[in-house]
Amino acid sequence: LQPYDIQGIWESYRQKDVNDELLHLYGWGDGGGGPTQEMLEAARGLKNLPGLPAVEQGLAEPYFARLAERLADQQLPVWDGELYLEYHRGTYTSQAFNKRANRKSEILYHTAEWLSALAALTLGAPAYPATELRRGWELLLFNQFHDILPGSSIPPVYVDSRKDYAEIAQIGEAVAAEARGALLAQIAARQPSVVVFNALGWPRAGLVTLPAEAALDGLSLGGGVQAITSADGQPQWLAEVAAVPALGYQAVPLETALAPEAALTVTPELLENEFYRVTLNAHGQLTSIYDKRAGREVLAPGARGNVLQTFEDKPMQFDAWDIDLYYQEKLREVVDLIEVAVEESGPVRGTLRLRWRFHKSTITQRLSLYAHTPRLDFRTEVDWHERQVMLKVAFPVDIRATYATYDIQFGSVERATHWNTSWDWARFEAVGHKWVDLSEGGYGVALLNDCKYGHDVKNNVLRLTLLRSATDPDPLADEGQHAFTYSLLPHSGDWRKGGVVRAAYALNVPLTAARVPAQPSGTLPASFQLAGCDAEHVVIETVKQAEDGGAWVFRVYECQQTRATAVRVTFGRAIHAAQECNLVEEDDQPASYTGAVLTFPIRPFEIKTFKVWFEAP
């Protein structure tokens, strides 16, 4: 609270013709610290200092009441769209460990809440662990504070945050394990089976991994089965399973007949399945991705895909915070391929292992395609020992589009792929969550990820920012081991028709499975759906107990910018009562339901939260 603060705010304010009273927040530091004695003394001195606007202490709510009164009859400009901050673009990527831990923790707590709700509703026990989940959420949310999650804190902060994330994981995994164990003990199975859990709000088939507790011969879950090795060297089974109910489970008997094997080809130069033919050059880069379904090439003519690019990353100031546009002037490709080997050749998944050396660092990647999933996965491990170097991956695709679509929380946003204006030019690095998509009229390509946030899409080139290595305020930022997955998903139509939202959720929230013995006396059915939605454009995002403990909360959002007059959510039990509320579970309003079906309208990108009470089983 200094004279230059007050004068600067006044001089930069552009709407003095409609309002002459401004609000200034002050305090010690930028983390919500209170005023110091010196600041309070300065406020008294600035009350009527000649040449400066008058300063008066007060509360925020009365200020906004006075502002509303002054502006009641004014025609004010309205901004519709993104308020892009032309600054601090590096915070989407800095301190990659925290970015990954945050994404994985959010998904873990979604799963722990859903499993706990499922166990409490179907078994009555264990009781919903509200206290434990609150403790975990408070730690998780604390670590979303700036500058922790943005990656712009001093080194001791990241020592603390690693401890916090370990505790967050311990709490979430313990809660999920207790609920899952209670369910597994009571699911009826006439013969030894595998119970597959689906934590998403739509039925889906997919892959599960299981410990290899017996010989592979004769094992089937209705689909292909493959012997694999886990990251820690343990033998596992990778198995295909048929559709599992939404937010529910399915007990799948261990059969004796294997499903027919799908054709998978994996060599150091070629990977092929029923969807794609992928070729590689001597540097491990993709020279072709031919989409058999569409009969077209995915990559731009003469271009190479999955190109790992490094850049000198020395912003003019605020090293961990900023990326300056001139970083693009010093590009080097990672081309020192020191290993290429066929690691898996089917029948479920084919994998080519690639390893590159770059200066003091190594990048190991497992490029995988699947028998029945139209996704190319790049499972990546990096041993990173660089300073002020940024790592990106680039996919120049044969798509003509002037806008790309980026996933954000509870929706998506379009951003220009051209630099026609200074505003477009300034948006050279942009945030996205689980996916970014570039689509023309009848075809598109999505780039998915499991823990990254920085993107840039220029003309027809999709790029994901993988790592940075700032030296201030943490001289060892991003030093060491990293693991992440990104995936390429070519598709027909735009991102809506191509099912990009669901594909990105599937990458981030895989099916999980556990073996159970024959237990015909189990009290739970072999298959159960807690809640499923009939509208593909509506996502059931959250299932939890209400904060007041009296109801079950189901939060949904509309993900395709599509309006619907009657969305139906069907539960696994009849509804006793239902109310719609706001995000903090207040302001209850009547909701429409019949039997086990909740019906409601929804607007584009709208978020809706419901409290539901169920009939006794």
Side-chain angles (χ1 to χ4, degrees), residues 343-406:
E343 187 169 275
E344 300 171 337
S345 55
V348 175
R349 181 173 69 191
T351 298
L352 187 65
R353 186 177 69 249
L354 305 152
R355 180 175 288 118
W356 295 269
R357 180 190 294 115
F358 177 76
H359 288 185
K360 301 177 183 179
S361 304
T362 57
I363 302 169
T364 303
Q365 193 165 83
R366 289 167 173 85
L367 168 55
S368 296
L369 46 64
Y370 300 89
H372 300 117
T373 301
R375 200 178 73 200
L376 289 170
D377 283 354
F378 301 82
R379 294 175 289 142
T380 310
E381 298 170 357
V382 181
D383 186 16
W384 191 246
H385 301 285
E386 309 305 316
R387 298 286 184 275
Q388 293 187 304
V389 174
M390 177 162 50
L391 178 66
K392 285 178 172 276
V393 64
F395 290 91
V397 294
D398 193 13
I399 298 292
R400 166 60 179 161
T402 54
Y403 285 88
T405 306
Y406 296 71

Side-chain angles (χ1 to χ4, degrees), residues 367-519:
L367 168 55
S368 296
L369 46 64
Y370 300 89
H372 300 117
T373 301
R375 200 178 73 200
L376 289 170
D377 283 354
F378 301 82
R379 294 175 289 142
T380 310
E381 298 170 357
V382 181
D383 186 16
W384 191 246
H385 301 285
E386 309 305 316
R387 298 286 184 275
Q388 293 187 304
V389 174
M390 177 162 50
L391 178 66
K392 285 178 172 276
V393 64
F395 290 91
V397 294
D398 193 13
I399 298 292
R400 166 60 179 161
T402 54
Y403 285 88
T405 306
Y406 296 71
D407 178 44
I408 60 173
Q409 61 276 29
F410 297 110
S412 59
V413 63
E414 291 184 339
R415 300 184 178 111
T417 62
H418 53 71
W419 287 1
N420 287 355
T421 71
S422 61
W423 288 7
D424 302 325
W425 175 85
R427 202 178 286 112
F428 60 83
E429 183 86 1
V431 70
H433 283 210
K434 296 183 290 296
W435 56 270
V436 62
D437 183 87
L438 190 65
S439 292
E440 57 190 28
Y443 194 78
V445 180
L447 181 57
L448 323 176
N449 75 85
D450 74 342
C451 62
K452 298 300 175 184
Y453 296 91
H455 300 75
D456 74 274
V457 182
K458 176 76 184 300
N459 298 326
N460 67 317
V461 182
L462 294 164
R463 288 201 303 198
L464 181 65
T465 310
L466 304 175
L467 289 170
R468 300 185 69 219
S469 38
T471 58
D472 180 51
D474 182 357
L476 297 177
D478 290 318
E479 176 85 10
Q481 304 291 324
H482 299 275
F484 49 85
T485 297
Y486 55 89
S487 304
L488 204 67
L489 182 72
H491 56 81
S492 62
D494 65 2
W495 59 272
R496 298 174 177 87
K497 184 177 179 181
V500 171
V501 172
R502 289 191 171 186
Y505 266 105
L507 174 66
N508 279 267
V509 192
L511 296 168
T512 59
R515 295 188 63 168
V516 295
Q519 43 191 35

Side-chain angles (χ1 to χ4, degrees), residues 37-118:
Q37 183 176 346
E38 290 77 12
M39 293 175 189
L40 294 173
E41 185 62 30
R44 284 190 285 269
L46 290 168
K47 186 175 179 65
N48 289 297
L49 191 64
L52 290 177
V55 172
E56 181 176 321
Q57 301 271 57
L59 302 175
E61 287 192 11
Y63 164 79
F64 284 112
R66 294 191 299 272
L67 182 64
E69 185 177 345
R70 281 194 300 275
L71 301 180
D73 299 323
Q74 298 284 345
Q75 272 305 107
L76 298 177
V78 174
W79 183 276
D80 187 346
E82 180 181 29
L83 285 171
Y84 178 84
L85 177 65
E86 298 181 2
Y87 207 36
H88 292 350
R89 302 168 183 89
T91 58
Y92 310 148
T93 304
S94 296
Q95 297 287 0
F97 175 89
N98 279 49
K99 301 296 195 295
R100 175 181 171 84
N102 176 76
R103 176 82 64 87
K104 300 302 182 184
S105 298
E106 289 176 336
I107 291 167
L108 172 61
Y109 276 67
H110 159 86
T111 301
E113 288 178 333
W114 156 69
L115 282 171
S116 298
L118 181 61

Side-chain angles (χ1 to χ4, degrees), residues 175-420:
V175 167
E178 183 177 15
R180 188 184 296 111
L183 291 163
L184 289 170
Q186 293 299 328
I187 293 173
R190 294 185 177 181
Q191 63 190 79
S193 301
V194 169
V195 177
V196 184
F197 291 96
N198 176 15
L200 297 178
W202 52 87
R204 57 177 175 142
L207 302 178
V208 295
T209 56
L210 290 162
E213 300 172 357
L216 179 63
D217 297 339
L219 171 69
S220 175
L221 300 179
V225 179
Q226 178 177 329
I228 61 171
T229 303
S230 68
D232 59 359
Q234 299 301 311
Q236 290 183 320
W237 290 327
L238 181 67
E240 295 178 316
V241 294
V244 181
L247 288 167
Y249 65 82
Q250 177 77 48
V252 185
L254 295 175
E255 305 289 354
T256 57
L258 285 171
E261 294 186 5
L264 282 177
T265 300
V266 184
T267 73
E269 299 83 23
L270 171 71
L271 295 91
E272 187 170 5
N273 63 2
E274 65 174 294
F275 305 107
Y276 310 113
R277 186 185 309 115
V278 181
T279 59
L280 297 88
N281 62 18
H283 301 304
Q285 300 166 335
L286 308 187
T287 54
S288 172
I289 306 173
Y290 184 75
D291 187 338
K292 297 179 180 180
R293 299 166 300 173
R296 61 176 287 170
E297 175 62 42
V298 175
L299 298 179
R304 294 159 291 122
N306 194 40
V307 178
L308 295 167
Q309 301 175 337
T310 66
F311 303 86
E312 183 181 86
D313 185 19
K314 296 182 177 179
M316 289 183 286
Q317 57 180 347
F318 302 126
D319 198 10
W321 288 263
D322 287 354
I323 296 174
D324 290 341
L325 182 58
Y326 60 76
Y327 81 86
Q328 300 186 64
E329 297 173 4
K330 294 187 177 181
L331 179 156
R332 289 185 61 186
E333 293 184 4
V334 178
V335 294
D336 187 7
L337 184 66
I338 58 176
E339 181 191 18
V340 55
V342 175
E343 187 169 275
E344 300 171 337
S345 55
V348 175
R349 181 173 69 191
T351 298
L352 187 65
R353 186 177 69 249
L354 305 152
R355 180 175 288 118
W356 295 269
R357 180 190 294 115
F358 177 76
H359 288 185
K360 301 177 183 179
S361 304
T362 57
I363 302 169
T364 303
Q365 193 165 83
R366 289 167 173 85
L367 168 55
S368 296
L369 46 64
Y370 300 89
H372 300 117
T373 301
R375 200 178 73 200
L376 289 170
D377 283 354
F378 301 82
R379 294 175 289 142
T380 310
E381 298 170 357
V382 181
D383 186 16
W384 191 246
H385 301 285
E386 309 305 316
R387 298 286 184 275
Q388 293 187 304
V389 174
M390 177 162 50
L391 178 66
K392 285 178 172 276
V393 64
F395 290 91
V397 294
D398 193 13
I399 298 292
R400 166 60 179 161
T402 54
Y403 285 88
T405 306
Y406 296 71
D407 178 44
I408 60 173
Q409 61 276 29
F410 297 110
S412 59
V413 63
E414 291 184 339
R415 300 184 178 111
T417 62
H418 53 71
W419 287 1
N420 287 355

Side-chain angles (χ1 to χ4, degrees), residues 509-532:
V509 192
L511 296 168
T512 59
R515 295 188 63 168
V516 295
Q519 43 191 35
S521 61
T523 60
L524 295 180
S527 178
F528 185 78
Q529 172 180 289
L530 178 60

